[in-house]
Amino acid sequence: ANSPLVDDGRVIVEVDAGVSKEVWKCVLQFLYTTEIRCSFESNVDMLLELLQACALYSLPKPLVNFVESRLFALTKVEVAAKILVASKATLRSAAVVNAATVVLSKAQDLISRQPDAVVPAALRAIDVCEQHVKQARAQ
């Protein structure tokens, strides 16, 4: 995101194009009211957009906790693989670590249902686990 621009007294803030208007509406409602009202609580792809927005813009922890808990509730091995592949390398959230655990523990299920998704998800899961262990040792 860039610095705000002023146009005829209005402030214009550029935001990541990968985050839909519906997700931004949820974010803004939360920022203004501290209430989470998201029409997409069961939509994994939109929750992943919200998780990315939380990471990109350092959004408040209650919003992060909400999206992570919703993703956990919906997490099947296929969802965990999507979380891992969609997440950025710098994203160090519980959702990513738990997704790595799900992928590694249920890789056999993923192989039988989505063989093309196994390799990228498994490699990402191993990388996330290695980063997590290194962080734990450094503390």
Side-chain angles (χ1 to χ4, degrees):
N2 297 326
S3 298
L5 303 171
V6 178
D7 179 29
D8 292 330
R10 296 179 297 167
V11 176
I12 301 170
V13 179
E14 292 184 29
V15 294
D16 189 273
V19 181
S20 67
K21 288 180 183 180
E22 191 170 354
V23 170
W24 279 120
K25 180 179 176 182
C26 175
V27 169
L28 291 172
Q29 284 178 331
F30 173 77
L31 292 174
Y32 281 100
T33 68
T34 68
E35 293 179 24
I36 300 171
R37 292 186 217 143
C38 296
S39 61
F40 50 85
E41 289 186 24
S42 298
N43 184 319
V44 172
D45 293 326
M46 292 186 81
L47 288 168
L48 287 171
E49 284 181 34
L50 180 55
L51 185 63
Q52 288 294 4
C54 288
L56 287 169
Y57 297 98
S58 301
L59 295 174
K61 190 70 173 155
L63 192 57
V64 174
N65 291 344
F66 164 78
V67 71
E68 288 178 348
S69 70
R70 289 304 307 142
L71 284 168
F72 294 151
L74 299 169
T75 299
K76 296 177 182 164
V77 70
E78 294 87 356
V79 174
K82 273 187 173 183
I83 291 169
L84 284 173
V85 173
S87 66
K88 298 198 182 288
T90 58
L91 184 60
R92 293 184 186 136
S93 73
V96 173
V97 173
N98 285 321
T101 304
V102 169
V103 166
L104 292 175
S105 65
K106 297 181 180 180
Q108 188 64 37
D109 293 341
L110 189 61
I111 289 169
S112 64
R113 289 188 231 150
Q114 294 182 341
D116 295 341
V118 173
V119 173
L123 291 174
R124 179 77 173 110
I126 292 167
D127 183 50
V128 167
C129 290
E130 284 177 344
Q131 288 176 20
H132 191 68
V133 168
K134 286 178 185 175
Q135 281 181 321
R137 286 184 180 160
Q139 294 176 349

